[in-house]
Amino acid sequence: LISVLGNSTFENYVALESGFSEMAYQMSAHVLTLGYAVMLAGLLYFVLTLKTVKAKFRISSVLSVVVMVSAFLLLYVQQQNWTTALIYNADTARYVLAPGADLFNNGYRYLNWLIDVPMLLFQILFVVTLTTSSFSFIRNGFWFSGAGMIITGYIGQFYEVSNPVVFFIWGFISTVFFIHILYLMNKVIKEGQEGIPEKAKGYLGTIWKLFLFSWFLYPGAYLMPYLFSFGLEPALSETAVVARHITYTVADISSKVIYGILLTLAAQEMSKAEGYDYDTFDRELNSQ
Ligand code: RET
């Protein structure tokens, strides 16, 4: 199969070897659709709640808006890639590779992360106040390691079937950058929790847990063909394909939308504590 499909990802190998059942194909299409639909809903949320926080926190919401727009477009293309790459074959009752169409590839996601990962990481810096670290040092670290993690992972994913050793080496290099990001984020949240209202402190604690949960799902999705097999043979199983789509979608909704909402809630508490009262402001405007 490698001579036919080369560096394409394992979804194509499953399609060529056995095809997809109705359920596997449809669940994948639906969960990919859910992904971009949620981004559009999130876009509205971040626009409509912009003024509920003090002006100095609003860049965080603006960055969420940027993330929603780019994720919406890229996830839409990703869903289209899935439905055009495969075609229903009535003789076998399976979805198989469509002749003449592009193969399926998750690369759109990776390039989307190149925009979204730095935005998501910078975003929190507009809500918290760093006590000891320097803003530009953390920002540069986020930017450098974010880009390093994604580019090395992007290269690696081309080899997931054709050359597992190369796939794992790039995955390992990517993980080194990831660990650096985790270290920086932990520092930012710890410093940010100093001297803010209890409720906002709680939100930041939840953000750290959500961050760990959602960001670890991405390397999980990268490894998916090997989580369903033993040793250096990728599992060409449709269950693994569906599991990867679900993992990516859960990760995207958590790391972009829920994360942004929690940051908005934390900023609302901090705005209130600093005397910003959106309700009164609103009433005053209406009575003028
Ligand atoms: C890769 C390659 C394998 C090793 C590791 C990875 C980590 C990816 C992460 C991606 C996060 C993406 C986000 C996107 C939101 O828009 C590249 C899969 C560690 C952590 C948060």
Side-chain angles (χ1 to χ4, degrees), residues 54 57 199 267-278:
K54 255 181 118 169
F57 297 123
K199 240 178 144 179
Q268 284 171 347
E269 287 306 322
M270 287 153 72
S271 301
K272 232 186 272 167
E274 292 179 24
Y276 180 78
D277 185 346
Y278 180 63

Side-chain angles (χ1 to χ4, degrees), residues 110 112-113 116-117 120 149-150 153 171 174-175 178 215 218-219 222 252 255-256:
Y110 285 70
N112 169 239
W113 303 341
D116 289 356
V117 162
L120 292 169
M149 172 182 86
I150 296 159
S174 175
T175 304
F178 182 42
W215 285 53
Y218 293 94
Y222 181 88
D252 281 339
S255 73
K256 303 182 220 256

Side-chain angles (χ1 to χ4, degrees), residues 254-273:
S254 317
S255 73
K256 303 182 220 256
V257 186
I258 301 179
Y259 171 78
I261 293 175
L262 287 173
L263 278 175
T264 305
L265 295 176
Q268 284 171 347
E269 287 306 322
M270 287 153 72
S271 301
K272 232 186 272 167

